[in-house]
Amino acid sequence: MKKTIEIEINNYEKPIRELVGKSIAEVNYYEIDYGEPMWNEIEYHTLDYGIELVTSDKLNFYFVWGNEYTQYDLKFRNGTISAEFSTENGAKKYNATNNQKWTELIGAKISGIESCWSYWSLINEDKRNYYPQDVRLEFENGKEVWISALEIRDGRIIGMQDHLTLVFDKKTAEKYKIGIKNVV
């Protein structure tokens, strides 16, 4: 079984590794249109839909919550995020490129990636259902960003949500239990 999940993790990470060596030129967030942006929390960013990264070579990549492995996992794709939804369904685009949390990351090359998987099981059942919960992007300047399919509500961590949370430092990631390896 361990071999199977290792292969699955490798297959999941393979397209994300396309980011290694690239630098981010633009960051766009997509969330429900509340009339004003609600994503900019003090410790983290919180998104209803997803994040789109535009690299300096003009390629688009995105993360959204998906359902490829289980309900509400972390989905990554090469391409434009509009393939997932349109602005007609209430998604509003916010350019976050100049946000303070991104300024040290814009222009820095991505030097590594890592996915952190979790699992769920039914009561009285041994079968584990594995899914990608978090992805960490590491930059050549030593900075990192974690992207997670979870929501933080009133200080409570709620996993497997139709939501993404981004944290920009290890201390905050540890506080909210993001990036914990539950599988291999």
Side-chain angles (χ1 to χ4, degrees):
M1 180 62 177
K2 187 173 182 177
K3 189 105 174 139
T4 304
I5 190 62
E6 287 173 350
I7 291 168
E8 198 65 46
I9 290 170
N10 187 53
N11 289 341
Y12 174 78
E13 288 182 347
K14 190 176 182 179
I16 303 171
R17 283 190 209 104
E18 289 181 46
L19 290 171
V20 175
K22 296 186 181 300
S23 58
I24 298 171
E26 185 178 333
V27 177
N28 296 306
Y29 287 169
Y30 291 80
E31 70 172 3
I32 293 172
D33 187 358
Y34 297 104
E36 63 181 301
M38 303 294 280
W39 51 264
N40 196 6
E41 298 289 335
I42 293 168
E43 291 183 296
Y44 53 85
H45 290 170
T46 178
L47 306 168
D48 296 310
Y49 292 116
I51 175 175
E52 181 177 56
L53 305 172
V54 181
T55 57
S56 57
D57 56 358
K58 306 289 186 220
L59 296 175
N60 291 29
F61 301 88
Y62 65 88
F63 290 92
V64 293
W65 57 267
N67 61 358
E68 293 177 289
Y69 298 89
T70 193
Q71 186 177 14
Y72 308 129
D73 57 19
L74 186 59
K75 180 178 179 180
F76 172 83
R77 289 289 184 270
N78 179 334
T80 60
I81 201 167
S82 61
E84 298 293 328
F85 53 82
S86 66
T87 51
E88 288 103 47
N89 69 356
K92 176 129 184 184
K93 176 181 175 180
Y94 292 98
N95 186 303
T97 307
N98 294 321
N99 178 272
Q100 176 184 348
K101 296 211 184 287
W102 281 102
T103 54
E104 291 184 82
L105 304 177
I106 299 299
K109 284 187 179 173
I110 296 171
S111 58
I113 67 102
E114 175 185 38
S115 67
C116 296
W117 288 52
S118 193
Y119 65 88
W120 61 270
S121 298
L122 295 174
I123 297 172
N124 299 323
E125 193 176 288
D126 289 337
K127 182 180 183 262
R128 291 182 173 183
N129 300 282
Y130 297 101
Y131 66 95
Q133 177 67 49
D134 315 309
V135 167
R136 180 179 61 87
L137 302 179
E138 183 180 321
F139 293 81
E140 66 183 358
N141 61 5
K143 301 293 181 185
E144 300 173 303
V145 61
W146 285 262
I147 304 166
S148 182
L150 67 77
E151 186 171 4
I152 302 167
R153 211 179 298 151
D154 300 322
R156 289 185 6 253
I157 305 158
I158 307 165
M160 292 177 61
Q161 291 295 296
D162 57 350
H163 205 88
L164 295 186
T165 297
L166 284 71
V167 297
F168 298 84
D169 64 87
K170 190 173 186 125
K171 184 179 174 187
T172 305
E174 289 172 352
K175 176 180 178 179
Y176 293 109
K177 299 180 180 16
I178 295 171
I180 295 174
K181 286 196 169 239
N182 293 325
V183 180
V184 293

